[in-house]
Amino acid sequence: MRIGSKITIGYIPLIDCAPLVVALEMGLFKKWGFDVQLSPEPGWATIREKIVYEELDFAQAVCGLPIVLNYGLKSVPCRCSTAFVLNLNGNAITLSKKYGSILENEPLENYGRIIKATSTFPLLFGVASTFSSHYFLLLRWLQKIGLNPQRDIRFVPLPPPQMPLHLKEGFIDGFCVGEPWNSVSLFEKTGFCVATSLDLAPRHPEKVLLANAKYKERKREEHIRIVGCLIEACQWADSPHNRQDLADMLHYGRWIAQPLEVLQHSLIGPFRMGKNIFIPGQAFHVFSQGNANCPSKEKEQWIVNEMVNSGLLKIGERKSRSFFDTEIYKQAEKIVAQQKTNTLPISI
């Protein structure tokens, strides 16, 4: 491999872009032989289009995007894959503050009845992508409280950074999104959190590293090394000893333009939901522990099942071929293990 290979990776300012930022800021990309540019993108539709037309080599992507592109679901068909899961969990559902006083002391089973009695339907809920875990989790929660997603709800596509403003202005009734955008609404006191990933689908696959066709088919060695680099980055990011440094990195490096305390809220914790419910940051964001990064068949099957259950994919359309590449991941994992036996751990 040529040292200094130029790579462009797309990302959206969410806390789960952290592994990419760590790899750049700590010099891991250079260590593994890459000259990387991280390209900020406005939303997941832009990520999708730039992968299709090879304007990006890799991208942070919602977990369903590899399946969407290969199946050509509401998209130009594109051969792509993922060999790396960037993180697990990381999402929450936030409702407008107008529901706070009427729901705060009520059990979950009463939510649907109370909302029906006090709201104009359909309710408007922001979601970044219908092919994301956010949409799947939101459907689960709505059904759990007795609301019909097809009859009672209209889903509004919004880029993650725009959701708190739309909630504040009263344009939407709630949203499901990754951090820090729930915390933004909580700190501004314009919304309150009613559920997280841990409540609805613990350890679900969240974002993946999406690779376009040229890396899937023609640059296998570089693909392996990019994954190896990100394995190291995720291991560093998952350590509780490094979470404050990570929050500082995201804030002071201007990767996420929000106050430091907002980033710390879920990244370090405790994430405060109300009713004296506190979630430690280590549980809210999982970057490495428990084999989180492996693009396993189980993780892919969870995504496919959710797409079928939500009506996005028909059972007859399911293909036996996998778009999660475990072989590249396993080879990268071996290289990282070999390096650990020969070098000192990387730290900042």
Side-chain angles (χ1 to χ4, degrees):
M1 183 195 71
R2 181 171 61 87
I3 298 299
S5 300
K6 292 185 180 294
I7 303 290
T8 303
I9 303 177
Y11 77 96
I12 288 177
L14 292 150
I15 282 181
D16 50 38
C17 77
L20 302 174
V21 174
V22 168
L24 185 68
E25 294 275 17
M26 294 179 59
L28 295 178
F29 283 132
K30 288 184 179 179
K31 170 193 165 185
W32 286 80
F34 293 102
D35 176 9
V36 169
Q37 176 189 357
L38 295 185
S39 175
E41 306 298 341
W44 301 117
T46 306
I47 293 275
R48 179 192 65 209
E49 295 305 305
K50 286 191 174 184
I51 284 288
V52 168
Y53 295 107
E54 298 194 2
E55 295 177 45
L56 296 171
D57 300 305
F58 295 94
Q60 168 202 20
V62 292
C63 63
L65 202 48
I67 297 166
V68 167
L69 288 176
N70 280 285
Y71 279 51
L73 299 175
K74 297 182 180 180
S75 169
V76 175
C78 174
R79 295 189 312 278
C80 63
S81 66
T82 181
F84 193 75
V85 177
L86 285 164
N87 67 306
L88 311 179
N89 296 341
N91 298 325
I93 297 174
T94 296
L95 298 185
S96 168
K97 67 176 182 179
K98 67 185 178 183
Y99 294 110
S101 59
I102 61 175
L103 296 178
E104 186 175 13
N105 297 313
E106 294 289 339
L108 185 64
E109 57 266 24
N110 291 344
Y111 277 25
R113 175 180 57 80
I114 294 170
I115 290 173
K116 284 181 178 180
T118 57
S119 303
T120 301
F121 283 82
L123 297 175
L124 302 181
F125 272 83
V127 66
S129 168
T130 53
F131 300 107
S132 67
S133 63
H134 316 97
Y135 182 62
F136 307 147
L137 297 181
L138 188 51
L139 290 181
R140 288 188 179 201
W141 185 79
L142 291 168
Q143 292 164 352
K144 196 173 183 179
I145 66 169
L147 293 178
N148 186 315
Q150 284 73 43
R151 185 182 64 243
D152 300 331
I153 309 297
R154 197 171 83 195
F155 298 101
V156 181
L158 287 171
Q162 293 185 19
M163 291 195 189
L165 178 60
H166 278 70
L167 191 73
K168 181 179 180 179
E169 297 297 327
F171 299 145
I172 57 176
D173 297 287
F175 56 72
C176 183
V177 74
E179 278 292 286
W181 304 109
N182 299 282
S183 291
V184 169
S185 290
L186 299 182
F187 275 70
E188 292 180 347
K189 297 183 179 179
T190 57
F192 75 107
C193 184
V194 292
T196 72
S197 294
L198 290 165
D199 301 306
L200 299 168
R203 294 186 64 81
H204 67 80
E206 178 47 31
K207 302 299 190 304
V208 299
L209 181 72
L210 186 65
N212 72 20
K214 71 179 179 182
Y215 275 90
K216 176 178 170 55
E217 298 169 1
R218 305 195 298 272
K219 296 189 176 183
R220 186 175 181 85
E221 182 188 352
E222 290 191 5
H223 198 168
I224 291 168
R225 294 182 66 81
I226 279 285
V227 169
C229 174
L230 290 174
I231 289 174
E232 281 196 341
C234 283
Q235 290 173 349
W236 186 91
D238 221 26
S239 169
H241 303 295
N242 296 330
R243 287 294 177 97
Q244 181 60 60
D245 288 337
L246 178 54
D248 290 343
M249 189 184 295
L250 292 170
H251 172 69
Y252 292 111
R254 300 184 182 275
W255 295 101
I256 302 177
Q258 290 297 322
L260 182 59
E261 60 266 30
V262 171
L263 303 185
Q264 292 170 327
H265 184 227
S266 65
L267 191 57
I268 299 173
F271 184 92
R272 297 171 289 278
M273 284 186 60
K275 289 190 177 182
N276 296 317
I277 300 174
F278 302 93
I279 301 172
Q282 201 68 9
F284 199 101
H285 296 285
V286 179
F287 293 110
S288 177
Q289 54 95 5
N291 210 24
N293 305 127
C294 180
S296 65
K297 291 182 179 178
E298 290 76 17
K299 291 187 181 82
E300 184 175 22
Q301 192 59 52
W302 182 85
I303 298 164
V304 170
N305 289 344
E306 293 297 314
M307 290 177 68
V308 170
N309 292 340
S310 60
L312 299 170
L313 182 65
K314 295 179 182 179
I315 294 178
E317 291 177 324
R318 296 166 68 175
K319 300 177 183 178
S320 58
R321 183 167 159 236
S322 175
F323 307 116
F324 276 35
D325 195 329
T326 56
E327 288 307 310
I328 282 180
Y329 177 81
K330 288 177 181 177
Q331 290 186 47
E333 196 175 37
K334 286 180 182 178
I335 295 173
V336 172
Q338 290 169 357
Q339 287 194 352
K340 283 187 175 181
T341 63
N342 298 325
T343 62
L344 293 174
I346 293 176
S347 61
I348 61 171

